[in-house]
Amino acid sequence: MGLEGKIRRLIEVSPSQKKAERRKVFGSPAPPAFGIAMMTRAIAARYQEQALGGLTKAEMRLLEVQSRKEQRHPRGVRPASVEPGTWLSRTRHGEPHEVVVLEGAFEYRGNRYRSLTAIAKHITGAAWSGRRFFGLHSPRLRAWGVTRHG
C-alpha cells in the first residue's frame, strides 16, 4: 500500500485502531494529552518519514540552532543593546541600584564589573541574568519608544 493509501486508511479507522497503530508505529502509547487528531497527524508524519526519508543531519542542526535562539529570545524579543554612557537603574527592596555602561565593562558603586550578570549576582546573591534583572529584555522598552541609543 502506498503512502497516500496508508494515510487515507488511517483517517478512516476508529480511535481505538489509531491508538493501536500509534503503539505499533512509535513503540509506545500516545501521551495522555494527545487527542485523536494530533495522534493521526503524528502517525501520518511517521508514515511520510518512513516513505520519503527523515530530515538530514544538517536540517536537524539548523532546527536545533533555531530552537536555541528562540529559547533565548522568546517571542522574537531581542534584548536591547546598551551603548557606553547609558545609565541603568533598578530598585530592589526599596534600594536603588544604578549602573553606568562603560566600553567593555560596567561600573556599579565605584567598582568595575565585566557583566551585568555579575552585578545582579552581587546585588541579589543569586544567579540572575543581568539583562533581565535590569529590564533589558522587557518588550515594554519598545512600547515606551526606548531605542538602543537611549
Side-chain angles (χ1 to χ4, degrees), residues 46-57:
R46 179 59 61 103
Y47 286 165
Q48 290 174 336
E49 183 180 292
Q50 290 171 344
L52 306 172
L55 297 174
T56 65
K57 285 184 179 180

Side-chain angles (χ1 to χ4, degrees), residues 34-110:
F34 263 39
I36 295 300
M38 175 76 88
M39 190 181 327
T40 304
R41 285 194 296 268
I43 296 168
R46 179 59 61 103
Y47 286 165
Q48 290 174 336
E49 183 180 292
Q50 290 171 344
L52 306 172
L55 297 174
T56 65
K57 285 184 179 180
E59 291 166 334
M60 292 295 289
R61 255 191 320 270
L62 184 65
L63 289 173
E64 190 176 308
V65 167
Q66 188 62 34
S67 172
R68 273 190 251 128
K69 281 182 184 175
E70 289 178 9
Q71 287 173 357
R72 280 185 276 155
H73 309 293
R75 291 179 276 144
V77 176
R78 295 201 157 268
S81 63
V82 287
E83 297 288 322
T86 303
W87 284 76
L88 303 173
S89 179
R90 163 77 192 263
T91 302
R92 179 175 165 84
H93 299 303
E95 183 182 355
H97 301 277
E98 294 183 340
V99 173
V100 180
V101 180
L102 305 173
E103 194 70 46
F106 301 90
E107 185 178 314
Y108 171 69
R109 295 188 176 171

Side-chain angles (χ1 to χ4, degrees), residues 129-140:
S129 160
R131 292 183 159 275
R132 188 169 303 277
F133 182 80
F134 285 99
L136 296 177
H137 282 281
S138 175
R140 290 182 294 179

